Amino acid sequence: MVYDYRLGFENNRSDWYKLKTAKENNNKFKALIFPDSQSNDYTEWESLAMNAWQNNQDSDFFINMGDLVDNGYDLVQWNGWFDGVEPMVNNILVAPVQGNHETYTTDWQVAMPNVYLEMFKLPTNGNDKYQNQYYSFDYGDVHFTVINTQDDEMAEFEPDLLNEQIKWLENDLATTDKKWKVVLMHRDILNYGRDAKPLGDEISFPRHGEVYMPIFDKYDVDAVLTAHLHTYRRRALIRDFAQNEQGTLYILTGVAGNVRYPSLWHKNPLDEYVPPQPETNNYLVLEADENSLTFNCYLPDNTQIDTFTLTK
């Protein structure tokens, strides 16, 4: 369904725009997925996002995987983010994920992500205290669950966030009747070695992996998308913290801004695809139909570097 809309305040009115909303009873759709877009100059973000949009005009909505901006209290950066996606966000819906950089003030202190919380009107989660921090939505036959992984940063302000979110998450995953379950979360679920701190062939999991992966196993989540490390990695299917063909697909989505860590992270034994190093930025396209979910990863010049299809 397509709506005509415009924005107004007092006697001021914008131009009219068209907004595409969810297709009724149609399980075939396409979504653009952008990793961390944080930047010190949002021209590269604009170039990547607009190129992806121009080549996928049939996309129904887009996702941004957290750290939308480098500093969550810097309104200049928010203007850069919105200006970069203006033609796209005027026409299709956005599903944002909160990242840790949304909690930083202009003097780089941690605070409630108040600017982020006011920027988007997201589906309700049943708890006004945590509105716009975590949420879920359905599109076609896919249930998307968006988790807030900033409970460390926000512990001083919201000490019960993690426990409350876990209760909500279990109910959210248990009660959906959709065929597919996809989780979106900013922080990743694997530890990675680097030159200064090598891990070798050791496989270990940070706290968010230890906390959430058993829940994803319990409710048979099909795919989990993460961000934060500014590198693209597709992992083997994982269940019970090990490779398992009956497990969940985990994709670390990469980077969409100009803050990059070229060749920083070592390969993890659970990585099945690692792009050539040093990495540039990238975007993903999710294509859903009656029996499959396909995740395609592209470079800024639209070269496809990875693809994976789940079938059911």
Side-chain angles (χ1 to χ4, degrees):
M1 184 177 296
V2 177
Y3 290 94
D4 290 317
Y5 78 97
R6 64 178 177 176
L7 305 178
F9 177 71
E10 294 182 343
N11 294 324
N12 301 310
R13 295 292 184 272
S14 72
D15 295 332
W16 285 97
Y17 300 101
K18 293 187 180 296
L19 178 68
K20 183 190 298 184
T21 61
K23 303 172 182 175
E24 296 181 5
N25 303 317
N26 190 339
N27 296 331
K28 184 176 181 179
F29 67 86
K30 178 187 285 189
L32 286 166
I33 302 167
F34 298 104
D36 305 47
S37 52
Q38 70 176 105
S39 302
N40 51 42
D41 177 343
Y42 286 83
T43 55
E44 285 193 45
W45 158 243
E46 179 177 359
S47 176
L48 178 78
M50 288 302 91
N51 176 66
W53 166 241
Q54 288 163 9
N55 282 275
N56 295 276
Q57 292 263 320
D58 55 340
S59 296
D60 296 278
F61 63 97
F62 75 97
I63 295 165
N64 203 161
M65 291 295 303
D67 287 359
L68 282 69
V69 294
D70 191 44
N71 188 291
Y73 275 65
D74 187 338
L75 297 183
V76 173
Q77 294 195 24
W78 281 109
N79 286 338
W81 187 89
F82 277 105
D83 288 346
V85 296
E86 181 178 2
M88 180 167 58
V89 80
N90 283 342
N91 287 276
I92 60 175
L93 300 171
V94 56
V97 181
Q98 183 185 318
N100 53 299
H101 279 257
E102 274 70 68
T103 68
Y104 297 150
T105 64
T106 53
D107 58 354
W108 297 102
Q109 301 300 305
V110 174
M112 282 290 293
N114 291 328
V115 178
Y116 169 88
L117 296 177
E118 292 296 324
M119 286 289 183
F120 305 98
K121 184 174 179 58
L122 304 174
T124 59
N125 59 26
N127 190 329
D128 290 342
K129 182 177 181 180
Y130 302 113
Q131 180 57 33
N132 288 358
Q133 296 194 37
Y134 53 84
Y135 63 101
S136 63
F137 64 97
D138 295 329
Y139 209 102
D141 211 9
V142 182
H143 182 71
F144 292 90
T145 302
V146 183
I147 296 176
N148 177 3
T149 56
Q150 277 42 257
D151 46 280
D152 280 339
E153 286 86 356
M154 299 172 67
E156 176 184 349
F157 315 104
E158 294 183 337
D160 298 325
L161 171 61
L162 180 61
N163 290 334
E164 291 297 319
Q165 182 172 233
I166 287 174
K167 289 190 292 186
W168 170 85
L169 173 64
E170 294 222 33
N171 181 70
D172 179 74
L173 295 175
T175 56
T176 181
D177 61 355
K178 295 299 181 180
K179 182 175 184 176
W180 300 95
K181 299 175 186 177
V182 175
V183 170
L184 311 174
M185 55 190 286
H186 180 65
R187 291 190 183 272
D188 192 41
I189 49 80
L190 282 178
N191 284 324
Y192 277 85
R194 54 191 188 275
D195 289 348
K197 188 179 179 181
L199 294 179
D201 291 332
E202 175 187 350
I203 298 176
S204 63
F205 302 84
R207 184 175 61 83
H208 288 98
E210 294 175 344
V211 167
Y212 288 116
M213 292 174 76
I215 299 174
F216 302 154
D217 290 348
K218 179 179 179 181
Y219 295 101
D220 296 318
V221 170
D222 298 288
V224 175
L225 305 183
T226 62
H228 188 59
L229 298 185
H230 296 206
T231 183
Y232 179 85
R233 308 291 170 101
R234 174 173 51 81
R235 289 67 178 265
L237 302 182
I238 303 173
R239 191 176 186 88
D240 295 326
F241 298 106
Q243 183 172 350
N244 187 317
E245 290 304 312
Q246 303 305 311
T248 298
L249 172 65
Y250 289 88
I251 296 178
L252 178 58
T253 53
V255 59
N258 69 358
V259 179
R260 296 195 278 272
Y261 310 134
S263 305
L264 176 64
W265 305 109
H266 294 182
K267 189 176 187 298
N268 188 289
L270 287 172
D271 290 339
E272 286 209 333
Y273 177 79
V274 180
Q277 302 295 305
E279 289 181 69
T280 180
N281 44 9
N282 65 278
Y283 69 93
L284 290 81
V285 177
L286 166 61
E287 297 186 69
D289 61 26
E290 293 288 343
N291 301 306
S292 67
L293 295 182
T294 298
F295 298 87
N296 298 307
C297 183
Y298 297 91
L299 296 177
D301 65 0
N302 303 310
T303 299
Q304 182 173 319
I305 60 171
D306 190 36
T307 184
F308 192 86
T309 298
L310 296 171
T311 58
K312 187 188 293 186

